[in-house]
Each structure stands twice: as C-alpha cells, then as structure tokens.
Amino acid sequence: MPPSEAEPGMSGGTSIAAPALPNHPPGERAVSVLWSFGKCLGALLPVYLAGYYGFSLSVILFGLMIYMGWKHSRLEKVMRLKSAMYLLDNERKFTTENVLRTKRDLPPWVNFPDVEKVEWLNKILQQAWPFIGQYLEKLLVETIAPAIRTSSIHLQTLSFTKVNLGDKALKVVGVKAHTEHDKRQVMLDLYLSYAGDVEINVEIKKYFCKAGVKGVQLHGKLRVILEPLIGDVPLVGAITMFFIRRPKLDINWTGLTNLLDIPGLNAISDTMIMDAIASHLVLPNRLTVPLVANLHVAQLRSPLPRGVVRIHLLEAEDLTAKDTIIKGLIDGKSDPYAVLRVGTQIFTSHHVDSNLNPQWREMFEVIVHEVPGQELEVEVFDKDPDQDDFLGRVKVDLDIVKKARVVDDWFNLKDVTTGSVHLRLEWLSLLSSADRLSEVIQKNQNLTSKTADPPSAAILAIYLDQAHALPMRKGNKDPSPMVQISIQDATKESKTCYGTNSPAWEDAFTFFIQDPRKQDIDIQVKDDDRSLSLGSLTIPLTRILATPELTMDQWFQLENSDSASRIYIKIVLRVLWLSEDATPTTPSPRPLPPGSNSGQGGITSELNPMGPGGLAKHPPARPQHTTPDPEFATEGVLRIHLAEAQNLIAKDNFMGGMVKGKSDPYVKIRVAGITYRSHTIKENLNPIWNELYEVVLTQLPGQEIQFELFDKDIDQDDFLGRFKLNLRDIISAQFIDTWYTLNDVKSGRVHLVLEWLPRVSDLPRLEQILQYQSQQSYQNKVLPSAVVLFVYVERAHGLPLKKSGKEPKVGADIILKGVSHRTKICERSTSPRWDEAFYFLVRDPRDETLTVKLSHSWGQALGSLTLPLREVLFEPGLVLDRWLNLDGALPESQILLRATVKILDTQLAVCRKPPGDAGSDAGGDEVLPRWVPSHLDIRQRSGFNLSGDNTSSTGQVKLTIGYSAEESRLFIAVHACRALAACSKDGADPYISFILLPDKKATTKRRTATKKRDLNPEFNERFDFDFSLEESIQRRLDLSVKNSVSFMSRERELIGKLLLDLDQIDLKTGVTQWYDLVAEAN
C-alpha cells in the first residue's frame, strides 16, 4: 500500500520533493549503486550456496516462504501502528465523521454514563511525557542495565543504546469511580489507550547482537484502589493497581528480534510478553505501593476472594460450520470446543467431533477477586490440525451472577452470524464457619461432571509471610530459600529470596479443597536448587476446622530443621455455600435469534438491563422504607426523683411500745405494671433517698402511679403509708416539685420531683443536656437518660438456610447495653417479616451501639447488625430508615428497620440568667440546676455526697435470674465477671458466694468454683432453689465476689458486693444482665 493511501491527509500542505539522487554528490551516488548491487548479490547468494552444497529445491522454497511471511507480517504491523498514530493525530475529525456511526467504538465515557472524561489528565500526561521519558531512560541505563549485567556472565556487555518514549503520550480515555462498596477505600477504573512511537534499542557487544522495540500499542482497563484511607497525610495508606482483564498488546520488534515477527512466532512472542505482564499486573496479581510505614502490604496485595463461581458448560446450538468442502460449495461440520477465561484463570473443554449442536456437560470453578469488574469470557473454536477457527464469543459480568446467585440461561454468540451457548453459573458464598461443611460435601457427591476434578467444598488461602533462622548451607553460607506448598496433587512455589536465612516472601496461594476433613497441607522449605531441604511442615486441615473463623495466623516450628527455625503463615479456610432459594425452578427460555439482538459483542450488564442472556429479569420489588403503625414513637418518658421523707411512723418499738424506736423505711413505686424499690435507710424517720427512676409510658387515660412505704423487718415488713398520683395531671403540669402526704397513717410525707420530659429533635440541645446530667449523682447510681431510642424492625431479606438446608424460623434479638428485646418467631422463610417496635432509654447516644442478632429459633445464628447510634444522629430528623447489610450472613442478606432518636429535653438543664444580671452576657445561657429547694440542703447531710460518686465500682457480674414454672424452682445462673479490681500484683483468684435473705440458717448459701489469676473469670454455674413464686419474690440476693486467700495472707478478701431484691425482676420470663458491684464500705 502506498504511503499516501495508508495515511490520508497526513501529507496535506507538504510538497513532494524532487528525486534526491541527481542532487547528491558523485561519491554518494557510487555508494548507493554499490549498496544496491550488494543487496542483489546477497539475495542470490543463498541460491548459489544451495546449489553448491546440493540442497533440495524444497529447502530454498521453504526459506523463501518464511521470508515472504515475515515480510508480509511486518508490513501489516507497520500499517497498524501508522493507522493508530493517525487516529491519535486526527481524533476529532475521525470521531465526527466516522465513529459516531457505531456506538461500540465510542470512548467509554460516552457509552457509560458513570465514566467521566478526563482531558485535563491527558494534558498533564502530554506535558510531562518528555520528563517521564527522561526518568525511564535514567532508570534503564543506571539501574536496570547494571542489574542485568551482574545477573549473568553472558550479559556483561549489555547496554541500552537508545531509549526514547516518543511524542505520543499515554491517554486515559475515561475514569469510573466506585465509592459505594467500601467507605474505607476509593476505587478507580482507568480506561487506558497507548499507541506510541516508543523506541528502545539494546546491544550485547560480546555477541554482536542488537535488538529493540519500535512502536507499542496497549489498550485495557486498569483498576486503581486507594486504601486504606487514613486520618493523616497522605490520607491514603497504599496504592494498588492491576488489570482486571488482560490488556491488548501489540509490539513492533526491530534488530535481531525481527525474527519474532515471523508468522506463528509473532503470536507466541506477544503472548509471552503478555504473560509476563499478567504475572504482575493482571488479577489475581496486584502491584501495591505503600505510602506509609508499618502497613501490612501482604493483605492488600492478596486479599481474600469475594467468592467463587461454579461454571457449568452445558451445550451449544446452531454453531457455524467451518469444515466446508470444495471451498464452501458443500457445507460440512465443526469440531467445537470452548475456552473459558476469568482474569488469568483459563480452562479448555474437550472438543466434540463433527457436531454443530455439541453437548459438553463440564464443570469449572473460578475464583472471583473483584466484583463489579471481572467478567467471564467464553470463546468457541473449531478444532483443526493447523489453526483453529473462531466460532463466537460471549461475555458475562460476574456481578450479575453475584446478585442473581444462579444464572441458568442461553447466550447468543457475538461476532458470528449464528450460534448460542447454554451456561449455568452459580455464585458460591464464602462461609467462615464449618457448620455446613458436611452438607456441602454431601451435595457435591451428588453432582456429576466429565471433568476429572470433583466439585470443591472449600477454598484455602495461604499467606506465606516470612521465616526465621533457617539452616545455613555448607560452608556456613546463607541459603536462597523458596517454599513448595502441596495439597493432594496441587503444588505451588513461592519466589526465591536470595542470600538470607530469614526470608520474607509475602506470597499468597489459593487452593480448591474437596474434603478438608481428609486433606493436609505439606510445606517444604528448600534452597533455590530444590535439592537441599531447609525444613518441612505438615498441617492437617482438620486442625483449621477447629479454630475460630477457620483462620490460623501464627508462627510454626519447622520440622527436620534447626531448633530455632520458624515460619510465619496465615491460613484461611472458607466453605463454599450455594443457597438453594436462588435455584431456578423452570428451564430457561430459548435465546433470541442473533439478528434480533442489537447488543454489541462484549457489552455486559452495564449496557444491557435485560439481563445476561438478553431476557428480562425483573427483581422482586422491595419497599425501600418501613411502614410502621402511626402510634410508633409516640410514647413519653416520666422521670421520678424520690428525694426524701419526713415524720414517718416508728414501727420498731420496744417493750410493747413503751419505748419508741425508729423505722427502716423503703419505698415501692408501681407504674404501668412495673415495680421499683428504693434502698432501705436504717433507723431513720426522716430518710433521704435521692434516687431516680425513669419509665416509658403510653398516654392512656386512667393511668396512676402508686407509692407505698414500708419498714424493713426480718419477718414481715410494716406498712408506713401510701398515696397515688394521676398520670394525666403530671403530663399537664410537665414539671412538679412538691411534698405528698401519706394516706392510711397518722403522719408522714414524701418529697418528689416529677417531670414529663418533652421529646425534641434538636441535636445542639443534646450537648447541653449531657453537660447538665454529668453533674448529677443519685444514690441508686442511675444515670439520667438523654434520649429515647425507638426501633421498628419490619423485615429481612436473603437470609441463609438452616444447616439442614431448610428455611429457618427467624427471630431477632435487639440489644442495647445489656437491655434486650425479642421479636416473635416467624414461620419458615428466608425473608421474614415481624413488624414490631421497641424502645430503649439511652444515657449518651454518642457512645452506644445497637445490635440486632438474627437466629433460627434462638439457636443457629443467621446474621447480625451493629449500628452505632452516632450514625443515627447524622441522619435528617434523627431518623434512620433503610435496608442495612447483615454481618456473618450471605452477601445479599439485609434487614429493613427504622431507628428514631428523641432527645429528652429536661427543664432543669438550661436556665437563662435574669437580663439585669451584671455578671451575665447578653442573651447567654448558663448550664445550672433550676431546682435547688432552700428547705432541702442535701449537700450538708452527713454520709452523702451529691456532687461526687458515693460508691466506687469494683467490676460487674453477669447473672441470669428466673423462675421455672414447670419445675417450681427459682434458678440463679452465675455466668461471669468482668473488670474486677486487682487485689495484688498477680490480680486475684475470684469466686462468688451468695445467700437469699432472709435466711437465718444459711440454707440458701451457695459458692462457685475459684478461678486462678483472672480478673474476667467465667463461671457458668447454675443454682436451683425449691421455692414457690411467691416465696421467690420476697427474697433478696446478697452476693459477694471474693478473692481466695490463705489464712495468713494480707490480701484483700472482698472484691465487691451486690444487693438485689427479686421483686424488682420479672422472674417468670427471666432476666440476663450485667450488674455493678460496689465496695464493702457502701
């Protein structure tokens, strides 16, 4: 092809020069003639030599064919390179005149709405390209060339004679940002296009060898991940780069490497170069550049896979006949086979002879590292002795498979006139529990496949980190260790670390496991010559099955090695689980004819909303928000401050009443079916309780609050009076601070502060309330609540199945700081619906976390949700209402709930100073208590401190207290303690003893076992008592946590105490709760 035809428009405005030969000096013309004569002689010389040595004519013809093929291939490559450079120079003209006719040739930012055009970045690259070339030249000449020369004695004379990146810069034709998957990272997809006039020449003077590259084309999608995001400069911990799919590469060789342009060799050479690039930059390989110190680069370079796709290559229909007879006059057949590719994972099916409707029925398993992004590419070929013919291809976005769980469909083959292939794609989730392993293995045994490998039950990821103190070689030389990891018949090798006995490999390997109960990991550490063993290690996979989360991350002692030789490995096992609720129940329809499908080859779900096979797949409509009852979150909060009493009746008389004594008063408060009881004040007719109670109430008419006072006695408590209050009066008044006279007795009155708390959504008000409440202290150690949290649990979706494979009966536990509620248990379904509401009183929502745990009949865990209330405070109107992902479940498992925060706006929190106050700023607010009655100066009472904590917390104890109606027994289960106070430098040897008062003969005294040197002991002991329910309610638990000490020891024996009246507990349902321990002095 003439140059004018190959590059139209490029010579415009340039005149054609006259022949240069006449203008040259006579000497140059003579040299030109001699050079032409030499080339002719060189062309005839092989013919003369062949005749002289008696070679056959076929040898000459064979050499001539190789030369002509090389010449033709090189000419085509030069034309492709010139066309690409012409396209870059005339991009605007070419786009407006030609490209707009076909959509698939447009840049990605036109085809995909979420791909952005970044011309500013291309301008920066173009401007900086010469300097990038200078850096590359310096890198090759000063760093890479010396390293190559020292690596081999044959390359000691190697040098780069020319390094020129050219004028054509790398172009970024589009950028797509993914920020919706993980808030701790930024993910970018860069669509790269490079058709450069790069020229790099290499010379080895010792062998008179010259080689080089002149022109490179590279097109592909590079994913860049910025993670982890940190709160310090440079804000990003590391940059990870990789190609999701193999990029397209075309290299124009020069010099001795011209031989690589020979037909057959050119494809091999480009493939070898692409394989070298893929070994570093195509998934699962990643290039990670750390930007901060002390970063675990191995975890970023080799993260755990997202899942596994099991591919069933079933059949194909209407394939193109390629084996025609008499140049196509008579149609023949094809011998089809399929090549399946996901990243660097490539599988080839067997070929079916002479069949246009082949049945393969083969199964393959591929590891998926990135979704969205990775695709399954299936190419069908006709098997031939020379070169296989292309029969079509299809691409499927694996993100579709992840969302649908199972895709069983016919796919039309692209780039051909006819043909379709039937695939069944199954998304296997990775489970971190071995509960379903036996079920998975049993299911796999029922699967039949022509492939030699049975279906896998699990995948094993091995992170080979480092080794320490390996044995030395002979002569006390450092070894060059590498590692061979074998599981059954699969063996993989690490890289070699040269000249060290403490290597750091930081390699990752992944294995498919058929039955972890019967397989072992065999690890061999060897020198680089593979003959000298430096140590070995065998780990049964059953050992990993017994670990939490199926993970081992530790040092291992090497066998057959030195005593100090160790190797650090992290092993992660994940069970492959296919949820049965996503299995299609009806066969897939036949595909549409290829002509009726307007989609272009290679376009995936990003452009085709009709599903992977061109057929409509409408997901079931789900509501995006909850629909609670109109009465949801309408409850109010009543705060009761029991301050003191005066002039109570003396009940503890002596000598038949002749000598007046005192009383030991306490108060019972009954409201909305809940009973609260104050502590007892010993021998005092004017007691000061200073206790606070809070109760959530629905504003129903006729509700009353009953107060009763009693004198605590050993046998039967004496009555000291009562009175009742109407809830409607309190709500109307909002705030009441007064004395109430006791009824049914001669004398006595009680001082109460009652407040019906308004509920607001003003977030700045929260800070004022928290500041006020931090200054308050109450004898019963109650912390005033700042907000009330209302939770409405509506439904869940996509929950996992039971271990037996059946649908679960799902119930939900809603937990907030020791307070828990349970929903009803729904009928068998993976999408249960509850429609239940709950509430919690919260001290400080900035530090609290709501937990929702889903389980099958309160047994098998099905997933959980952890929701910090701080996130709700950032929502509009302090209301969070949406679907939330569940942890410890399937990727699509979600729960729909509404969390509403209402701030409790107490009148005591903020009071304005009088406008005329000289010490106040205009319009300023001061945080101070409004209620400070002059007749009640609590701060001056002895033995009580209002401003500070009067008790010192010495830890907590977890108890379960309840009454079994079936056994007619009271039971107390002692679970554990936490944060106990240390009694010596070794901590403490705690045990728990308790008694149920009143018990004069100590028949109810019990004691747990002693836990040695443990400030967070677990007891898990249960004690039963043959009491009736009425007797149980009258008991009082006196519990002590003690330190087991010897008789002569000076260590403190008592750690903490707990006094608990059982009538404050709903014994019928049972309560499990952490209780605060107090010191002995209190």
Side-chain angles (χ1 to χ4, degrees), residues 69-88:
W70 169 79
K71 195 73 174 178
H72 180 72
S73 175
R74 181 170 179 80
L75 182 61
E76 285 186 347
K77 186 167 288 188
V78 170
M79 290 298 103
R80 288 197 302 268
L81 182 60
K82 289 184 177 180
S83 298
M85 296 177 65
Y86 166 75
L87 176 60
L88 286 177

Side-chain angles (χ1 to χ4, degrees), residues 100-175:
L100 289 176
R101 299 175 186 175
T102 56
K103 183 179 180 180
R104 62 179 176 179
D105 291 332
L106 289 175
W109 55 269
V110 177
N111 278 336
F112 304 96
D114 49 357
V115 175
E116 301 177 7
K117 186 178 180 182
V118 284
E119 279 302 317
W120 61 270
L121 181 57
N122 291 324
K123 293 179 181 179
I124 294 175
L125 287 175
Q126 184 65 46
Q127 194 77 8
W129 196 249
F131 303 96
I132 297 175
Q134 294 176 14
Y135 169 75
L136 180 60
E137 180 179 3
K138 183 178 180 181
L139 178 67
L140 290 174
V141 174
E142 299 181 3
T143 303
I144 297 180
I148 296 175
R149 286 194 291 265
T150 57
S151 64
S152 174
I153 190 174
H154 303 290
L155 300 177
Q156 290 180 352
T157 59
L158 179 140
S159 62
F160 288 93
T161 58
K162 186 174 184 180
V163 178
N164 182 16
L165 283 188
D167 300 327
K168 306 298 180 181
L170 174 72
K171 297 198 68 173
V172 181
V173 297
V175 174

Side-chain angles (χ1 to χ4, degrees), residues 267-317:
I268 296 176
S269 64
D270 288 355
T271 302
M272 292 174 60
I273 298 298
M274 194 62 253
D275 288 343
I277 296 177
S279 65
H280 293 88
L281 278 177
V282 178
L283 277 179
N285 304 297
R286 303 164 184 246
L287 176 62
T288 300
V289 181
L291 302 180
V292 296
N294 301 323
L295 190 67
H296 207 311
V297 180
Q299 297 294 340
L300 298 177
R301 185 181 297 122
S302 304
L304 201 64
R306 301 295 179 91
V308 171
V309 172
R310 184 171 291 159
I311 306 169
H312 297 268
L313 176 64
L314 301 177
E315 56 186 327
E317 281 193 359

Side-chain angles (χ1 to χ4, degrees), residues 449-471:
S449 174
K450 291 185 179 181
T451 182
D453 296 327
S456 302
I459 64 168
L460 182 72
I462 300 178
Y463 300 94
L464 178 62
D465 193 352
Q466 59 180 314
H468 177 70
L470 296 179

